Amino acid sequence: MRVRRLGAIAAAVMATTTLVTACGGDDNAGGGNGGGGKVQLALVAYSTPQAAFEDIIKAFQKTPEGKNITFTQSFGASGDQSRAVANGLKADIVEFSLETDITRLVKAGIVAPDWNSGPTKGILTKSVVVIGTRKGNPKGIKTWDDLVKPGVEVITPNPFTSGGARWNLLAGYGAKSNKGADQAAGLAYLDALLKNVPVQDDSGRKSLQTFTGGKGDAILTYENEAIFAQQNNQEIDYTVPDSTLLIENPVAVTKNSAHPKEAAAFLKYLYSVEAQTIFAKNGYRPSIDGVTGFNWPTPPQLFTIQDLGGWDKITTDFFDSKTGKVAEIERKLGVATEK
């Protein structure tokens, strides 16, 4: 396993919930892009990539394709954001934690069915699930088994609002079930793990805020969130478990965008080496070749969502709010599963 020292989180950034901000001037927002008029695009995303997107948008606006484009930005729990777009929140580009949050919009007729037909299969960024601990790791928490010991408090969000929470739980499940081969063992592990979770926030970013605020002995989180903490001088440690899950975060443009040409240009830019390097500087593993200067450890037993059966099967079996196996565990603990 890999153990790394973290530094942490500026309070102003950590206070992020769902928010909307304007980026760049907006004199003629909504107008055509010809004749120097401004076009405004709406970006709706899950909670963690806000800092990366702010830098990426600034860089995009310096390109010929982006010079007349401004943005509104909304960040929040992945499932909540996806449901908001399905219910009418304006969006030209969406990036979520989970593929299923894009699929919801395909079913609603908002995103095209072929959104994932390109070379990256619609995946914009990657990461892995890691275990964060207090500085010096006073309780010696390094493995999945350590998280279920008596008296250990683990912070992870609610899997019925947060995509990050689903990645976290499935990482533990896969590690303890031999990639799903022993489902009973994996579910027994999740039952024990969730009993050690004192609070389940609605997003990964809020859970990180809870942990850096002093609650809990360990946190399950994205590797990029741990690196984000490091970059903001919070003194915590983190471990990349030997067996953990590859996180893949999808992106798409919407079919009902008023500015499809400009939305497509921004999507294309997101896959440029320049934009992917900015993501990498913010702790994300790139989804394209050509991004250099970073050393990403490869866990020896890294597995993928496909190894566990794919999102369709997992969502039905584990996260259906009424019949899912994780929903059953959560209800016994008094945690809300209906959103």
Side-chain angles (χ1 to χ4, degrees):
M1 68 186 64
R2 300 292 186 94
V3 180
R4 294 193 171 191
R5 182 58 50 92
L6 289 190
I9 304 164
V13 179
M14 282 305 306
T16 301
T17 55
T18 300
L19 56 94
V20 178
T21 59
C23 188
D26 191 26
D27 294 339
N28 289 306
N33 201 17
K38 299 287 187 180
V39 165
Q40 187 178 84
L41 297 179
L43 168 67
V44 177
Y46 69 111
S47 64
T48 65
Q50 180 182 358
F53 270 119
E54 288 175 349
D55 288 343
I56 286 168
I57 286 171
K58 290 176 183 176
F60 176 62
Q61 290 172 327
K62 294 178 181 178
T63 69
E65 295 80 11
K67 65 180 181 179
N68 290 324
I69 300 177
T70 65
F71 290 79
T72 62
Q73 301 174 66
S74 174
F75 300 93
S78 187
D80 287 349
Q81 293 288 81
S82 174
R83 282 184 284 270
V85 174
N87 290 328
L89 177 65
K90 183 177 184 285
D92 299 287
I93 307 101
V94 292
E95 197 218 357
F96 298 133
S97 175
L98 304 177
E99 179 181 316
T100 50
D101 289 330
I102 299 282
T103 304
R104 176 184 291 113
L105 302 186
V106 174
K107 293 177 179 178
I110 296 170
V111 168
D114 63 350
W115 68 273
N116 58 353
S117 62
T120 68
K121 305 300 182 184
I123 301 304
L124 181 61
T125 56
K126 300 179 181 181
S127 191
V128 296
V129 176
V130 302
I131 300 170
T133 59
R134 301 291 168 199
K135 181 180 178 181
N137 197 5
K139 292 198 173 183
I141 300 168
K142 298 179 180 179
T143 68
W144 293 108
D145 288 339
D146 292 336
L147 296 176
V148 297
K149 290 179 178 178
V152 173
E153 285 193 340
V154 182
I155 301 301
T156 187
N158 185 326
F160 293 90
T161 58
S162 166
R166 296 191 181 191
W167 289 114
N168 294 345
L169 296 185
L170 291 170
Y173 170 81
K176 302 306 295 181
S177 68
N178 187 23
K179 301 179 185 178
D182 188 347
Q183 186 181 89
L187 291 173
Y189 179 80
L190 292 186
D191 187 86
L193 174 65
L194 287 167
K195 286 177 181 175
N196 279 2
V197 179
V199 59
Q200 296 185 32
D201 293 305
D202 65 12
S203 74
R205 179 53 56 85
K206 284 185 179 179
S207 282
L208 187 56
Q209 185 178 8
T210 293
F211 185 70
T212 57
K215 185 73 172 174
D217 304 300
I219 181 172
L220 289 172
T221 190
Y222 302 111
E223 177 187 49
N224 53 276
E225 280 289 80
I227 294 171
F228 174 82
Q230 180 182 28
Q231 292 170 342
N232 287 276
N233 304 315
Q234 183 75 31
E235 290 300 322
I236 65 177
D237 295 339
Y238 75 96
T239 297
V240 181
D242 288 343
S243 179
T244 193
L245 180 59
L246 178 68
I247 294 168
E248 297 175 298
N249 307 124
V251 67
V253 296
T254 60
K255 290 167 57 178
N256 58 356
S257 171
H259 305 290
K261 178 181 176 181
E262 290 80 9
F266 183 60
L267 179 65
K268 181 179 179 181
Y269 178 77
L270 291 176
Y271 286 108
S272 68
V273 170
E274 183 176 46
Q276 288 282 309
T277 298
I278 294 172
F279 276 123
K281 289 178 179 178
N282 281 270
Y284 293 89
R285 298 182 180 215
S287 61
I288 65 166
D289 295 330
V291 178
T292 59
F294 301 90
N295 180 25
W296 305 107
T298 301
Q301 300 170 46
L302 184 67
F303 56 95
T304 71
I305 207 67
Q306 292 303 318
D307 292 326
L308 300 180
W311 276 119
D312 287 344
K313 177 176 173 55
I314 288 168
T315 302
T316 299
D317 292 351
F318 286 73
F319 299 112
D320 183 280
S321 61
K322 294 183 174 61
T323 62
K325 294 176 174 64
V326 172
E328 181 180 346
I329 294 170
E330 291 281 52
R331 279 196 297 270
K332 290 190 298 182
L333 298 171
V335 176
T337 62
E338 296 280 357
K339 295 294 176 183

